[in-house]
Amino acid sequence: MEKDKLLIAGKEFTSRLMVGTGKYDDYVLMAKAIEASGAEIVTVAVRRVNISDRSKESLLDHIDLKKYTLLPNTAGCYSAEDAVRTCRLAREAGLSDFVKLEVLGDEKTLFPNNEELLKAAQILVKEGFTVLPYTSDDPIVCKKLQDIGCAAVMPLGAPIGSGLGIRNPYNLRIILESVSVPVIVDAGVGTASDAAIAMELGCDGVLMNTAIAGATDPVAMAEAMNLAVRAGRLAYLAGRIPRKLYATASSPLKGVIE
Amino acid sequence: MKLIKVNGEEKETVSMFVSEFLEELSIDPRPVAIELNREILPKKDYKTTILNDGDQLEIVWFVSGG
């Protein structure tokens, strides 16, 4: 486990859990939950500064940038053009090339618009961004994203914020066979076992926000997710036994008293 | 006096440079990124970029998100 690092665009990470910073009641709780999660990559959104009310605290006052890698997202973008603009602004604000690219299809499902996603990814890769795209659990699209030059692919486990878990493990398995870049399940996780399932399938990481921030005790859930991702990874590396329909005795058959 | 559209709101200002305008709005330039007429304005240019009447500014920063 010691040497089992996650490598994204040549950058090494020990933790395979990535967490969002949204939906917390306050920044103090958020910081505690992030700490408990053990995550090294945290996602943030890019939004207009409120011109008329300057009283709001800055998110960055609560995130130690020496400890965490910021992953700005393009949440709320419905076209390649808006997503590309947002990424350029994010790079300027954060001085890093890492972006979580999401181009949404509709407000109800928040499913990706893959056509626009591919378009945006193409432009951003050319401009030198390290692109981590949120995508459907579609092996063909994932392969295309890899071929464009994305540093990872981030298929959804279920709709954003739904907590439905890993709805299509078979697609994830095909994606894992189709691409060589890291596969990070982004969205859909509801509880610890969901994260463990993703990792046991062989995924390289899991990204989540609502499952932690929306839990009754976010700090405890963050710790649960930390353990689940590590447990799932370890189980994957350990190699599980095959599923069999019938029993195999664990105790010797010989020497049973008569 | 010039009229600048900043983050969708119209503002009147006498500020000559972008850096002065930020000061007028009490915005710390360090954590923000700016688009001037839909082009990224690098931080090093805030002090030397002159604002013209009708300019459009987008001033963004990082907020909580997933």
Side-chain angles (χ1 to χ4, degrees), chain B residues 42 55 57:
Chain B
D55 272 349
L57 283 177

Side-chain angles (χ1 to χ4, degrees), chain A residues 243-255:
Chain A
R243 288 181 170 88
K244 284 179 291 188
L245 195 54
Y246 292 101
T248 318
S250 298
S251 308
L253 298 175
K254 257 189 175 176

Side-chain angles (χ1 to χ4, degrees), chain A residues 193 195-203 228 231-233 235-237 240 243:
Chain A
S193 53
I197 286 169
M199 295 309 294
E200 285 169 12
L201 286 169
C203 292
R233 178 67 184 174
Y236 166 72
L237 294 174
R240 59 154 299 153
R243 288 181 170 88

